[in-house]
Amino acid sequence: MAKVIVRDLAKKFMWTIVTGDSDSLNRPLTLADTNRPGLELAGYFPDTQTKRLVVLGDKEIGYIEEQMDEISQRRSFEFLTGDNTPCIVVAHGHECPPVLKEIAERKNFPVFKTEHQTSHAIVSITNYLDECLAESVVIHGELVRVFGVGVLITGRSGMGKSEIALELIKRGHQLVGDDRIDCYKIHNELIGRTTPMLEGFMELRGVGIINISRMYGVGAIAHETQIEFQIDLEPFNDSYEYDRVGIEEKEYNEILGIKILKMTIPVSQGRPMSSVIETAVTNFLLLKDGLDSAKEFEERVLAQISENKKEEFDASVSKH
């Protein structure tokens, strides 16, 4: 079943239908781009992406009325109302050209009118289709907003991800999704949300399903967020050499072609993980502003070493 059909757009933007019956509104949309058919109206058809929704604005209508005779109109409109084209939208309150209306009625092809300006209509259509047709992947973990940053908490089962997320919620942060996170690539950003059925709910082992919005208020949940930072939890291992300073090469994870900063944090009994995560997010925000605490510390250490060497050199010179 198609993700988006013409009926969805017509209902979303309350377009006025000019031609086409109920069946014609089931045409699928597979591309988020639109087509303003300048070359097609001029009679040039090669390389046209026929699966795009067609928008006729001021310039197109002006060209049709002033420059095109009936024969050229019929040739262009026969092409634009092909089987692959989802529909045609006539913007800015213009009337549908009579030749287009006649051909569309014969083919049972959907043509709509809207009062919106052409540029506004195109932006609205593109943004809506970008979201509906976005690439997606499901990730198991917790998605929370900490200090306004979308943080994806991952790790194997039994690491206490839900419990940590609950502690963060109690400290005033927001839950976006528990266990199942639907990630979408929208406008070159990674957006995370959960399914409507699971929104606002969390599962805690030994307790069961809890309603976060009822227990902590509607402000404790967010419908979606941009994912900017990933924290991967793993059991503490005495034999592993963990990053203690932070000057090592930063680690990134790629999701749907978008790289996000990733930090691996060991979990051990008694460690205040909610405070650790808040600190990690605060440090992430400083990094975004160009402030790297680890490098700042490294520079201070190197400066001290240089100063010590200078003092040793001066002392050796004075002895001689």
Side-chain angles (χ1 to χ4, degrees):
M1 186 175 183
K3 272 184 160 183
V4 190
I5 59 175
V6 169
R7 187 189 314 277
D8 298 326
L9 269 77
K11 183 178 179 181
K12 169 73 176 177
F13 300 113
M14 295 184 290
W15 292 335
T16 301
I17 189 165
V18 179
T19 64
D21 62 14
S22 181
D23 288 339
S24 73
L25 303 185
N26 293 325
R27 287 176 173 243
L29 291 110
T30 56
L31 295 176
D33 298 326
T34 59
N35 178 25
R36 293 190 69 175
L39 290 174
E40 290 84 351
L41 293 178
Y44 185 81
F45 305 132
D47 302 321
T48 297
Q49 176 50 267
T50 57
K51 293 184 179 181
R52 293 176 179 174
L53 179 150
V54 173
V55 179
L56 300 180
D58 293 337
K59 291 181 179 179
E60 290 79 14
I61 294 297
Y63 182 79
I64 291 166
E65 293 177 347
E66 298 172 17
Q67 301 294 326
M68 297 180 71
D69 57 30
E70 183 177 339
I71 294 174
S72 58
Q73 286 188 41
R74 287 188 179 280
R75 182 172 62 248
S76 294
F77 292 145
E78 286 286 354
F79 176 80
L80 290 174
T81 55
D83 292 338
N84 291 332
T85 306
C87 66
I88 294 176
V89 179
V90 182
H92 219 157
H94 290 289
E95 293 298 323
C96 176
V99 176
L100 171 59
K101 185 176 181 181
E102 176 199 323
I103 293 172
E105 285 178 341
R106 170 168 51 82
K107 291 185 172 184
N108 192 27
F109 180 90
V111 176
F112 301 94
K113 274 180 54 178
T114 177
E115 298 297 323
H116 290 115
Q117 293 182 6
T118 312
S119 58
H120 292 172
I122 290 173
V123 169
S124 298
I125 293 167
T126 303
N127 286 344
Y128 177 74
L129 290 178
D130 258 344
E131 293 195 21
C132 293
L133 301 176
E135 294 179 76
S136 65
V137 65
V138 175
I139 294 178
H140 293 285
E142 305 294 314
L143 183 56
V144 290
R145 279 173 57 89
V146 180
F147 301 133
V149 177
V151 181
L152 180 64
I153 303 174
T154 56
R156 69 189 191 194
S157 181
M159 292 300 302
K161 298 185 294 294
S162 296
E163 289 79 2
I164 293 169
L166 183 61
E167 282 298 319
L168 289 168
I169 293 164
K170 292 168 70 175
R171 295 168 75 98
H173 306 293
Q174 293 179 300
L175 173 73
V176 179
D178 171 63
D179 189 37
R180 177 198 165 108
I181 308 301
D182 297 329
C183 300
Y184 298 86
K185 183 179 180 180
I186 301 175
H187 312 315
N188 212 32
E189 292 181 347
L190 189 63
I191 304 298
R193 58 176 75 116
T194 191
T195 59
M197 181 177 292
L198 301 177
E199 190 175 278
F201 289 91
M202 176 182 283
E203 178 191 359
L204 284 178
R205 286 185 178 86
V207 178
I209 304 296
I210 61 174
N211 188 323
I212 295 298
S213 60
R214 293 276 180 87
M215 296 179 71
Y216 300 101
V218 294
I221 63 171
H223 299 296
E224 64 178 41
T225 187
Q226 180 186 354
I227 302 174
E228 300 179 75
F229 188 30
Q230 179 180 355
I231 292 179
D232 192 48
L233 305 178
E234 65 174 30
F236 186 82
N237 185 349
D238 287 329
S239 62
Y240 183 78
E241 195 66 32
Y242 290 103
D243 187 355
R244 298 176 65 90
V245 181
I247 60 175
E248 288 79 0
E249 190 72 23
K250 298 290 188 290
E251 185 181 0
Y252 290 87
N253 185 24
E254 188 171 306
I255 303 174
L256 295 175
I258 298 176
K259 288 185 177 180
I260 59 172
L261 185 64
K262 177 182 175 183
M263 183 177 290
T264 301
I265 297 180
V267 177
S268 60
Q269 188 173 1
R271 197 175 192 204
M273 292 306 300
S274 55
S275 296
V276 172
I277 289 176
E278 283 182 332
T279 303
V281 173
T282 303
N283 198 49
F284 169 77
L285 289 170
L286 289 173
L287 283 172
K288 285 183 67 176
D289 287 338
L291 303 172
D292 192 327
S293 302
K295 287 188 177 179
E296 186 180 349
F297 176 74
E298 182 186 29
E299 290 168 2
R300 183 178 297 184
V301 171
L302 292 174
Q304 186 63 52
I305 292 172
S306 178
E307 181 66 27
N308 291 344
K309 286 183 177 180
K310 184 176 181 299
E311 290 177 359
E312 289 174 4
F313 177 78
D314 292 343
S316 64
V317 170
S318 63
K319 285 180 181 180
H320 294 86

